[in-house]
Amino acid sequence: IQYFDAVLNNSKGEPFEIPSAICMHEEDFSLLWKHVEYRTGHSEVRRSRRLVLSFVSTVVNYEYAFYYSFYQDGTIGYEIKLTGELSTNLLSPGEGPLPDYGVLVAEGVNAQYHQHMFCARIDPAVDDEDGGKGLVVVECEAEALPEGPSNPAGNAFVLKETALLTETEAQRECNASTGRFWKIKNPS
């Protein structure tokens, strides 16, 4: 494990340093690949490793733990964990529980329902001569094919790739129903 200092700015724009703010470590991540040759019974397996960069940010009553994982196959993972204390408000004297808006956690104390929204911006510019201009971000989704003579069971699908060429086009949301993911490729 290696720790790195971070330099941030205060509310006046002045820099300040946080020692050991960013953590980098490598960890085992189960199987990278495995195969058994059925003719001979010979088995091969390789373990997967990932490099993790992480930091924790305290925002009022919450701690957000951010994890960037870099895998051996070029995949980048991003995970946010939330911890800390409930966000609560006091009820007025005689005011009862507000079941549509929160949960009563103690006499006169309401933990209101709320959401935490996060966005991620990917800047694929890498350290090369053209600043990453040859790279293309592609959205990939599973697309069902229509039932017909070439798909009699109706279970065939293809991987549809859509190039996201502008920042406006690239504003996306996750979509688990299509298995949506993104690739950064260099067509040349």
Side-chain angles (χ1 to χ4, degrees):
I1 294 177
Q2 180 70 44
Y3 292 95
F4 302 92
D5 298 341
V7 177
L8 302 174
N9 61 281
N10 65 19
S11 61
K12 296 177 183 176
E14 301 163 337
F16 71 95
E17 186 174 291
I18 300 175
S20 300
I22 299 169
C23 175
M24 179 179 71
H25 70 279
E26 185 178 305
E27 61 188 27
D28 181 82
F29 194 66
S30 188
L31 293 178
L32 178 62
W33 64 266
K34 181 184 186 325
H35 179 69
V36 175
E37 175 54 53
Y38 73 94
R39 292 176 191 92
T40 65
H42 178 74
S43 177
E44 295 263 345
V45 65
R46 298 294 182 273
R47 299 296 297 174
S48 179
R49 305 286 296 166
R50 67 180 177 184
L51 182 68
V52 180
L53 294 175
S54 63
F55 64 94
V56 177
S57 179
T58 301
V59 181
V60 189
N61 56 305
Y62 295 114
E63 272 70 37
Y64 298 107
F66 297 86
Y67 298 86
Y68 296 85
S69 297
F70 300 88
Y71 298 87
Q72 291 168 295
D73 64 358
T75 301
I76 300 171
Y78 183 58
E79 181 180 17
I80 303 172
K81 297 178 182 180
L82 173 62
T83 184
E85 299 176 356
L86 288 174
S87 177
T88 59
N89 61 295
L90 294 176
L91 299 174
S92 297
E95 186 177 18
L98 304 172
D100 291 339
Y101 307 105
V103 175
L104 197 62
V105 294
E107 184 67 34
V109 180
N110 182 61
Q112 65 272 9
Y113 300 139
H114 62 286
Q115 296 177 317
H116 299 253
M117 306 292 187
F118 296 92
C119 296
R121 178 185 169 108
I122 299 171
D123 185 352
V126 294
D127 192 18
D128 61 4
E129 292 176 14
D130 68 354
K133 290 181 179 54
L135 301 177
V136 177
V137 177
V138 177
E139 179 178 78
C140 302
E141 297 183 288
E143 184 175 90
L145 296 176
E147 195 171 328
S150 63
N151 184 20
N155 61 352
F157 63 93
V158 295
L159 181 66
K160 178 181 145 198
E161 292 191 359
T162 304
L164 305 174
L165 302 176
T166 68
E167 286 186 21
T168 301
E169 288 178 343
Q171 295 177 21
R172 304 310 240 209
E173 293 182 7
C174 294
N175 185 355
S177 67
T178 63
R180 180 178 288 168
F181 67 95
W182 299 273
K183 286 195 286 188
I184 300 173
K185 342 194 274 192
N186 185 338
S188 62

